[in-house]
Amino acid sequence: MPYPIVFFFYRIAYYIVRFLFLFYYRISFEGRENVPKGTAVIFASNHRSYLDPVLVAMAAPHPFNYIAKEPLFRNPIFGGFIRFMGAFPTANAKDPDYDMLTEAVRRLEKKRHLTIFPEGTRHTDGKVGRGKSGVCVLAARSGKPVVPVGLVFDSNNLHFRSRICVRIGKPLYAKDFGLDANSSPREMHPMRGAIMDAIRTMVEENPPFPINHDAPKKRTSIEIEQEQRRAARQQESTRPPASTNMEE
């Protein structure tokens, strides 16, 4: 579909969704001036909820693209809708030559922003997880800036009139870390660390409002598994050592 038509309908949907979100939640923004002008941008954000792609998109009123899990596209109606809104899959079973990174770079070259969640999964407890290097690969291949985004919630369980702050950090460029399209994953570690440190600072330090650290009602399967591992380790550490009988 021609870009002007996509842009027209995107803007309509953008303002409708923006109105609904600002009515239901109390949303504020910090650092919008950090978004570079005249170029596509890779927004790298922490992942708190299913609302995150919309919250990040509200920071800049231009068409965004998102990477979504392949199963979301199996429903023809929902899949068609999210494709229209800029989503593309991590994999494509119908196309063996499909490559997610190549598709992402192609869209960036068309000056369409891209949102990526380096953690790879949601963290409902408000902490920032360990990021992956995919965002650095995209930055190195495309030459586009990476803008860290910190999503701060006033509670681990969102409700009517919850406070949300979208914090936007300074852009980071792959070239400033000596990276290019041929750089190895190990060489990308410093940039990945800088991106995740920026996100962690915005999320976990100097919160813009008081935060209620309540227990998340809906945790991800990964968080449940991690909690079970911690409980098992704690139980193992508190278990008394087995007694041994020495016979002379």
Side-chain angles (χ1 to χ4, degrees):
M1 185 175 294
Y3 180 76
I5 297 177
V6 173
F7 183 77
F8 174 76
F9 284 104
Y10 181 92
R11 294 283 285 188
I12 294 176
Y14 171 85
Y15 284 112
I16 292 174
V17 173
R18 179 184 175 86
F19 171 79
L20 294 174
F21 269 56
L22 292 177
F23 168 77
Y24 196 84
Y25 303 110
R26 290 179 290 173
I27 304 175
S28 58
F29 299 88
E30 296 180 4
R32 276 178 164 173
E33 67 279 2
N34 293 327
V35 180
K37 303 295 190 298
T39 182
V41 173
I42 304 169
F43 288 87
S45 173
N46 63 310
H47 203 0
R48 291 296 308 272
S49 71
Y50 291 115
L51 305 179
D52 297 347
V54 177
L55 293 172
V56 175
M58 290 175 67
H62 296 289
F64 274 70
N65 289 264
Y66 312 92
I67 301 173
K69 294 180 179 180
E70 194 270 339
L72 294 176
F73 295 86
R74 293 174 184 171
N75 182 296
I77 298 177
F78 182 74
F81 174 74
I82 61 176
R83 281 185 188 277
F84 178 78
M85 296 305 295
F88 58 98
T90 54
N92 189 343
K94 298 180 179 180
D95 184 1
D97 297 325
Y98 177 83
D99 180 70
M100 178 191 70
L101 292 176
T102 300
E103 178 65 17
V105 171
R106 184 183 70 82
R107 293 179 181 233
L108 286 167
E109 290 174 347
K110 291 186 175 182
K111 295 186 177 181
R112 301 188 185 184
H113 296 322
L114 176 68
T115 298
I116 189 170
F117 301 102
E119 297 164 292
T121 188
R122 290 180 294 120
H123 288 262
T124 57
D125 60 358
K127 300 296 183 180
V128 177
R130 185 174 181 271
K132 300 179 181 179
S133 298
V135 61
C136 304
V137 175
L138 285 176
R141 287 192 184 182
S142 66
K144 303 301 182 184
V146 176
V147 173
V149 178
L151 300 178
V152 185
F153 296 176
D154 67 355
S155 169
N156 291 325
N157 300 292
L158 290 178
H159 50 79
F160 180 64
R161 304 311 290 165
S162 285
R163 300 187 69 176
I164 299 173
C165 184
V166 182
R167 287 177 155 176
I168 304 169
K170 301 284 186 180
L172 299 170
Y173 294 83
K175 63 181 181 181
D176 293 338
F177 293 86
L179 302 178
D180 57 33
N182 298 317
S183 297
S184 68
R186 181 178 294 275
E187 292 172 321
M188 295 180 181
H189 286 180
M191 183 177 186
R192 183 190 68 185
I195 293 170
M196 299 312 298
D197 286 345
I199 297 174
R200 190 171 291 107
T201 297
M202 289 187 288
V203 172
E204 300 183 11
E205 298 181 12
N206 301 316
F209 36 67
I211 296 178
N212 176 25
H213 296 283
D214 52 346
K217 295 179 180 178
K218 295 182 179 180
R219 295 173 299 165
T220 65
S221 58
I222 293 178
E223 289 175 328
I224 294 173
E225 184 178 347
Q226 290 174 340
E227 183 176 326
Q228 291 172 342
R229 286 205 207 100
R230 285 194 296 267
R233 286 196 298 266
Q234 184 177 4
Q235 184 177 5
E236 188 68 26
S237 64
T238 57
R239 181 180 302 169
S243 60
T244 57
N245 295 322
M246 301 284 293
E247 293 185 359
E248 296 184 0

mmCIF file of all heavy atoms in Angstrom, residues 173-192:
data_model
loop_
_atom_site.group_PDB
_atom_site.id
_atom_site.type_symbol
_atom_site.label_atom_id
_atom_site.label_comp_id
_atom_site.label_asym_id
_atom_site.label_seq_id
_atom_site.Cartn_x
_atom_site.Cartn_y
_atom_site.Cartn_z
ATOM 1 N N TYR A 173 24.882 6.039 18.603
ATOM 2 C CA TYR A 173 25.198 5.677 17.221
ATOM 3 C C TYR A 173 26.236 4.558 17.194
ATOM 4 O O TYR A 173 27.220 4.592 17.947
ATOM 5 C CB TYR A 173 25.736 6.891 16.462
ATOM 6 C CG TYR A 173 24.717 7.999 16.272
ATOM 7 C CD1 TYR A 173 24.483 8.925 17.279
ATOM 8 C CD2 TYR A 173 23.984 8.109 15.088
ATOM 9 C CE1 TYR A 173 23.537 9.943 17.117
ATOM 10 C CE2 TYR A 173 23.050 9.118 14.914
ATOM 11 C CZ TYR A 173 22.833 10.029 15.934
ATOM 12 O OH TYR A 173 21.898 11.026 15.772
ATOM 13 N N ALA A 174 26.007 3.590 16.323
ATOM 14 C CA ALA A 174 26.916 2.449 16.228
ATOM 15 C C ALA A 174 28.330 2.898 15.864
ATOM 16 O O ALA A 174 29.315 2.330 16.356
ATOM 17 C CB ALA A 174 26.386 1.452 15.191
ATOM 18 N N LYS A 175 28.446 3.903 15.019
ATOM 19 C CA LYS A 175 29.775 4.349 14.581
ATOM 20 C C LYS A 175 30.599 4.879 15.747
ATOM 21 O O LYS A 175 31.839 4.806 15.720
ATOM 22 C CB LYS A 175 29.631 5.425 13.497
ATOM 23 C CG LYS A 175 28.935 6.699 13.969
ATOM 24 C CD LYS A 175 28.810 7.713 12.840
ATOM 25 C CE LYS A 175 28.123 9.001 13.334
ATOM 26 N NZ LYS A 175 27.967 9.985 12.237
ATOM 27 N N ASP A 176 29.928 5.437 16.773
ATOM 28 C CA ASP A 176 30.659 5.950 17.933
ATOM 29 C C ASP A 176 31.263 4.822 18.761
ATOM 30 O O ASP A 176 32.130 5.063 19.621
ATOM 31 C CB ASP A 176 29.732 6.791 18.810
ATOM 32 C CG ASP A 176 29.288 8.077 18.116
ATOM 33 O OD1 ASP A 176 29.998 8.509 17.186
ATOM 34 O OD2 ASP A 176 28.233 8.615 18.481
ATOM 35 N N PHE A 177 30.808 3.603 18.543
ATOM 36 C CA PHE A 177 31.366 2.426 19.217
ATOM 37 C C PHE A 177 32.260 1.621 18.278
ATOM 38 O O PHE A 177 32.654 0.503 18.603
ATOM 39 C CB PHE A 177 30.232 1.539 19.742
ATOM 40 C CG PHE A 177 29.433 2.170 20.838
ATOM 41 C CD1 PHE A 177 28.363 3.010 20.542
ATOM 42 C CD2 PHE A 177 29.740 1.935 22.176
ATOM 43 C CE1 PHE A 177 27.606 3.602 21.549
ATOM 44 C CE2 PHE A 177 28.994 2.523 23.191
ATOM 45 C CZ PHE A 177 27.930 3.368 22.882
ATOM 46 N N GLY A 178 32.556 2.205 17.111
ATOM 47 C CA GLY A 178 33.417 1.540 16.144
ATOM 48 C C GLY A 178 32.780 0.350 15.468
ATOM 49 O O GLY A 178 33.479 -0.563 15.018
ATOM 50 N N LEU A 179 31.443 0.349 15.357
ATOM 51 C CA LEU A 179 30.731 -0.794 14.793
ATOM 52 C C LEU A 179 30.330 -0.544 13.349
ATOM 53 O O LEU A 179 30.033 0.590 12.955
ATOM 54 C CB LEU A 179 29.477 -1.098 15.623
ATOM 55 C CG LEU A 179 29.687 -1.405 17.115
ATOM 56 C CD1 LEU A 179 28.344 -1.637 17.786
ATOM 57 C CD2 LEU A 179 30.596 -2.612 17.294
ATOM 58 N N ASP A 180 30.302 -1.620 12.578
ATOM 59 C CA ASP A 180 29.760 -1.573 11.226
ATOM 60 C C ASP A 180 29.055 -2.900 10.958
ATOM 61 O O ASP A 180 28.920 -3.739 11.847
ATOM 62 C CB ASP A 180 30.851 -1.297 10.185
ATOM 63 C CG ASP A 180 31.987 -2.322 10.227
ATOM 64 O OD1 ASP A 180 31.721 -3.506 10.535
ATOM 65 O OD2 ASP A 180 33.132 -1.939 9.947
ATOM 66 N N ALA A 181 28.601 -3.081 9.723
ATOM 67 C CA ALA A 181 27.811 -4.264 9.387
ATOM 68 C C ALA A 181 28.584 -5.565 9.578
ATOM 69 O O ALA A 181 27.981 -6.639 9.690
ATOM 70 C CB ALA A 181 27.308 -4.167 7.943
ATOM 71 N N ASN A 182 29.920 -5.503 9.623
ATOM 72 C CA ASN A 182 30.739 -6.704 9.757
ATOM 73 C C ASN A 182 31.206 -6.957 11.185
ATOM 74 O O ASN A 182 31.971 -7.897 11.427
ATOM 75 C CB ASN A 182 31.967 -6.604 8.832
ATOM 76 C CG ASN A 182 31.582 -6.515 7.364
ATOM 77 O OD1 ASN A 182 30.699 -7.239 6.902
ATOM 78 N ND2 ASN A 182 32.222 -5.617 6.631
ATOM 79 N N SER A 183 30.765 -6.141 12.128
ATOM 80 C CA SER A 183 31.208 -6.291 13.512
ATOM 81 C C SER A 183 30.658 -7.576 14.121
ATOM 82 O O SER A 183 29.551 -8.013 13.801
ATOM 83 C CB SER A 183 30.764 -5.090 14.344
ATOM 84 O OG SER A 183 31.363 -3.898 13.872
ATOM 85 N N SER A 184 31.430 -8.174 14.999
ATOM 86 C CA SER A 184 31.036 -9.417 15.653
ATOM 87 C C SER A 184 30.143 -9.120 16.859
ATOM 88 O O SER A 184 30.155 -7.998 17.396
ATOM 89 C CB SER A 184 32.273 -10.187 16.115
ATOM 90 O OG SER A 184 32.927 -9.482 17.167
ATOM 91 N N PRO A 185 29.384 -10.110 17.318
ATOM 92 C CA PRO A 185 28.555 -9.918 18.513
ATOM 93 C C PRO A 185 29.367 -9.473 19.725
ATOM 94 O O PRO A 185 28.889 -8.659 20.522
ATOM 95 C CB PRO A 185 27.934 -11.304 18.724
ATOM 96 C CG PRO A 185 27.899 -11.916 17.362
ATOM 97 C CD PRO A 185 29.144 -11.429 16.695
ATOM 98 N N ARG A 186 30.587 -9.975 19.882
ATOM 99 C CA ARG A 186 31.417 -9.575 21.014
ATOM 100 C C ARG A 186 31.757 -8.089 20.946
ATOM 101 O O ARG A 186 31.796 -7.395 21.969
ATOM 102 C CB ARG A 186 32.696 -10.416 21.047
ATOM 103 C CG ARG A 186 33.614 -10.082 22.214
ATOM 104 C CD ARG A 186 34.837 -10.996 22.219
ATOM 105 N NE ARG A 186 34.454 -12.369 22.488
ATOM 106 C CZ ARG A 186 34.299 -12.869 23.711
ATOM 107 N NH1 ARG A 186 34.474 -12.093 24.772
ATOM 108 N NH2 ARG A 186 33.963 -14.132 23.877
ATOM 109 N N GLU A 187 32.025 -7.595 19.733
ATOM 110 C CA GLU A 187 32.367 -6.180 19.572
ATOM 111 C C GLU A 187 31.172 -5.277 19.876
ATOM 112 O O GLU A 187 31.348 -4.080 20.125
ATOM 113 C CB GLU A 187 32.864 -5.929 18.141
ATOM 114 C CG GLU A 187 34.203 -6.582 17.835
ATOM 115 C CD GLU A 187 34.575 -6.476 16.367
ATOM 116 O OE1 GLU A 187 33.673 -6.621 15.509
ATOM 117 O OE2 GLU A 187 35.771 -6.256 16.088
ATOM 118 N N MET A 188 29.966 -5.844 19.868
ATOM 119 C CA MET A 188 28.766 -5.052 20.126
ATOM 120 C C MET A 188 28.418 -4.955 21.612
ATOM 121 O O MET A 188 27.512 -4.213 21.979
ATOM 122 C CB MET A 188 27.582 -5.642 19.352
ATOM 123 C CG MET A 188 27.748 -5.542 17.848
ATOM 124 S SD MET A 188 26.352 -6.225 16.941
ATOM 125 C CE MET A 188 26.894 -5.961 15.246
ATOM 126 N N HIS A 189 29.123 -5.680 22.453
ATOM 127 C CA HIS A 189 28.815 -5.680 23.882
ATOM 128 C C HIS A 189 28.847 -4.280 24.501
ATOM 129 O O HIS A 189 27.959 -3.931 25.290
ATOM 130 C CB HIS A 189 29.772 -6.612 24.623
ATOM 131 C CG HIS A 189 29.470 -8.064 24.396
ATOM 132 N ND1 HIS A 189 30.201 -9.092 24.953
ATOM 133 C CD2 HIS A 189 28.503 -8.676 23.666
ATOM 134 C CE1 HIS A 189 29.711 -10.253 24.581
ATOM 135 N NE2 HIS A 189 28.684 -10.029 23.785
ATOM 136 N N PRO A 190 29.853 -3.435 24.197
ATOM 137 C CA PRO A 190 29.856 -2.099 24.807
ATOM 138 C C PRO A 190 28.626 -1.260 24.453
ATOM 139 O O PRO A 190 28.073 -0.582 25.315
ATOM 140 C CB PRO A 190 31.136 -1.463 24.259
ATOM 141 C CG PRO A 190 32.033 -2.622 23.957
ATOM 142 C CD PRO A 190 31.111 -3.698 23.462
ATOM 143 N N MET A 191 28.178 -1.313 23.198
ATOM 144 C CA MET A 191 27.001 -0.548 22.816
ATOM 145 C C MET A 191 25.758 -1.119 23.475
ATOM 146 O O MET A 191 24.902 -0.370 23.963
ATOM 147 C CB MET A 191 26.829 -0.537 21.298
ATOM 148 C CG MET A 191 25.651 0.326 20.846
ATOM 149 S SD MET A 191 25.484 0.422 19.051
ATOM 150 C CE MET A 191 24.140 1.637 18.932
ATOM 151 N N ARG A 192 25.653 -2.445 23.509
ATOM 152 C CA ARG A 192 24.513 -3.059 24.180
ATOM 153 C C ARG A 192 24.471 -2.650 25.641
ATOM 154 O O ARG A 192 23.409 -2.314 26.180
ATOM 155 C CB ARG A 192 24.588 -4.576 24.069
ATOM 156 C CG ARG A 192 23.389 -5.302 24.691
ATOM 157 C CD ARG A 192 23.626 -6.788 24.782
ATOM 158 N NE ARG A 192 24.672 -7.096 25.762
ATOM 159 C CZ ARG A 192 25.160 -8.307 25.977
ATOM 160 N NH1 ARG A 192 24.716 -9.330 25.264
ATOM 161 N NH2 ARG A 192 26.100 -8.505 26.879
#
